[in-house]
Amino acid sequence: MSIIAGISTPIGNGAISIVRMSGEGALEIALRFFSCKKIREGELIPNYMYLGTFHGDNFKDRCLFVYFKAPRTYTGEDLVEFHLHGGVTVTQKVLHTLLQNGAIMAENGEFTKRAFLNGKIGLDEAEGILGIINAESETEISASYSVMQGTVSKRVKPIGDRLMKVVSMLEAWFDYPEEMEDEVNSDVFPELEAIKTDLEALLSTAKQGRMVHNGISVVLVGRPNVGKSSLLNAFLREERAIVTDIPGTTRDTIAESIVYKGVRINLLDTAGIRESTDIVERKGIERSLDAVAKADIVVYVLDASVPEKPDKAMTEGAHGKIIYVNNKVDIAEEQGEYRNISALKRMGIDELLDEIVSVVGNKRMYGEMLTVDRHISAVASALDSLNNALNNRFASFDCLLVDLKDCLTSLLEIDGGTASEKIIDDIFSRFCVGK
Ligand code: GDP
């Protein structure tokens, strides 16, 4: 493989910047430009930082240099790093020097891709690294950390191994039908049923896992003027608001994210999509119902000062939990039957947030959950194939084997064993250059 080089820190002026280079021969290129007394005297200990000088064509920088020796490196190849003074020009000039002397520019995520191609990490573990880089809350960090540690493949692998045994047994039976018949009937189908139970258990963690990874989506509904926008503001006032685009939201919806007790909550206020003309109003209602159907939690805001019953039409199609709240309790004559709050006076807001975040469960369970969409889809399609196999078990031997092999392929996709080039490229393109 070629020698790749890239800047591993964000471009901008800072205390330090790191230029990385990986591949057989990277050390030789590096030592043409880096010098320090100890290395000149013959010492070069891997994983040690050396303070010395980078000698460019017409520039120099005092920097730290470290050499990681293959195969015990991030990429599995010889890897070097220059820790430079963090200036944009000096960093780019160091990179250009390496590029002019045998290295080629690394693509997005190419260092991590090499780690995967060299068998250092599974594809799922690479996704864990990506998750940590992009995490916006503590829960996302813990979930991604556990993915990076390989917990998903550790759970899936034994299931795949058992399935592989069944497939081998069936293939043997195909060759020696008489000798194997009893064994197949008594062992194979109970084992397939057991595998199915395990896959179902794994998949049942996906709903919470998605919330842990992507945040809990909460939609605020209720009549105009009940205090939805005020409630959104009350949420935002206390907690750290994240300014990012939430997928699936449009400009006229008010969408904000906050982090509460380490959990991301993606809030959507439907007030903004129910305004002005009839056509807009109708479209607004449709969109509001669409948001309700996709939400993990619907907060139905009622005005405690004007007794009213919830309108079922507003939560039609909801799949998640519905929490009814009586807002404006500060001016109400009596307390209502639902959770009493005052968005204006900030009464009962933390208790409401506590109820919202309780849906992701206990922190200790994050490691057990499927949190990455790709892993969830793979397990779901493995389960589909297994169900097909079990439902058509007496139809044809060939079909049974095809379904079981499809099941196996889906499971092996998780750590990348059977993942297509497209899937692999797609994952690494989401990394930055230099990672
Ligand atoms: P929305 O149309 O549902 O988004 O309602 P708004 O948030 O715009 O609130 C409508 C009116 O109710 C505003 O005048 C708010 O100040 C007021 N309001 C909202 N929450 C409370 C509350 O808890 N107590 C009181 N007294 N007034 C509130």
Side-chain angles (χ1 to χ4, degrees), residues 222-231 269 271 301 303 327-331 341-346:
R223 281 189 306 104
N225 283 325
V226 290
K228 296 182 295 299
S229 309
S230 307
L231 180 56
D269 177 10
V301 186
D303 185 337
N327 187 34
K328 306 193 192 180
V329 72
D330 53 305
I331 52 164
I341 62 160
S342 168
L344 210 59
K345 306 272 182 223
R346 269 203 65 78

Side-chain angles (χ1 to χ4, degrees), residues 224-240:
N225 283 325
V226 290
K228 296 182 295 299
S229 309
S230 307
L231 180 56
L232 186 79
N233 286 332
F235 284 150
L236 296 177
R237 209 176 319 146
E238 285 294 294
E239 312 307 332
R240 180 168 72 87

